[in-house]
Amino acid sequence: MKKLYLIMIGFLLVGCTGTTQYLHTPTDIDGKVHLYRISEFNAGGMGAVFYVDDQNILKLGIKDYAEVPISPGKHTISVKADQTTQKDTHEFNVEPNENYYFLIKANPNRLGPQLLIPIIEIASIPGFLLVKSNEEKYKKESSGFKLEQIKYANK
């Protein structure tokens, strides 16, 4: 029993994630990724950690949003739950001055395994998904949400 307890603690510690300062200097030609997280029962107690090119730059709670400048070119963006290791990742080409919209949504495939087999679920199923959205939906659904500030390393 003691060994099982230690294994469970180990999984939780591996999954805990702090954010770092964003290694980016905003410019006038950056594209912008707009993120928002709605309130959902599934994964309600977890923070959604957002990555740009494998650098964790911010964590969104329920009813938070963020606007992330990204330099033009090929990039990856990812999201994961702060207690898990699996990310949902998208690779795309950022165009100058273009806007991209993503809803951070709890992964519906998590709920069943999470209730039945918590240890396996933590290590194998992403907690959140990045769902493409649009400006109209973003403005409507994130109205009244709290802006999560980005901490830059160069400022």
Side-chain angles (χ1 to χ4, degrees):
M1 188 65 173
K2 231 182 200 181
K3 287 182 182 180
L4 179 60
Y5 179 73
L6 291 173
I7 290 170
M8 288 173 50
I9 295 293
F11 273 115
L12 289 174
L13 292 176
V14 168
C16 294
T17 306
T19 57
T20 59
Q21 293 181 329
Y22 188 23
L23 299 174
H24 176 75
T25 303
T27 69
D28 291 341
I29 63 167
D30 283 348
K32 191 176 284 187
V33 173
H34 302 264
L35 305 164
Y36 64 106
R37 181 176 169 204
I38 59 175
S39 179
E40 296 177 289
F41 170 74
N42 186 12
M46 292 188 281
V49 181
F50 181 72
Y51 294 77
V52 175
D53 298 327
D54 286 326
Q55 181 190 5
N56 56 338
I57 63 164
L58 62 90
K59 187 188 308 188
L60 291 181
I62 295 171
K63 294 188 175 182
D64 284 349
Y65 76 99
E67 297 175 344
V68 182
I70 300 179
S71 59
K74 193 173 186 178
H75 295 279
T76 59
I77 59 171
S78 308
V79 67
K80 76 175 201 72
D82 56 5
Q83 290 101 356
T84 64
T85 57
Q86 296 297 315
K87 297 177 193 172
D88 182 39
T89 301
H90 292 262
E91 186 174 289
F92 67 108
N93 192 40
V94 175
E95 298 294 332
N97 298 308
E98 285 295 316
N99 291 293
Y100 304 90
Y101 300 90
F102 290 92
L103 164 65
I104 295 178
K105 182 168 180 51
N107 186 346
N109 295 326
R110 254 180 88 78
L111 189 56
Q114 180 179 8
L115 295 173
L116 298 174
I117 315 169
I119 294 172
I120 293 171
E121 181 276 330
I122 287 173
S124 64
I125 300 173
F128 291 101
L129 302 173
L130 284 169
V131 179
K132 287 184 182 179
S133 189
N134 60 52
E135 183 176 11
E136 181 182 341
K137 196 171 180 180
Y138 167 76
K139 286 182 177 181
K140 180 181 175 186
E141 292 182 349
S142 66
S143 176
F145 285 16
K146 184 184 89 174
L147 175 63
E148 183 66 30
Q149 297 292 332
I150 299 169
K151 296 171 185 75
Y152 293 96
N154 303 335
K155 287 190 173 184

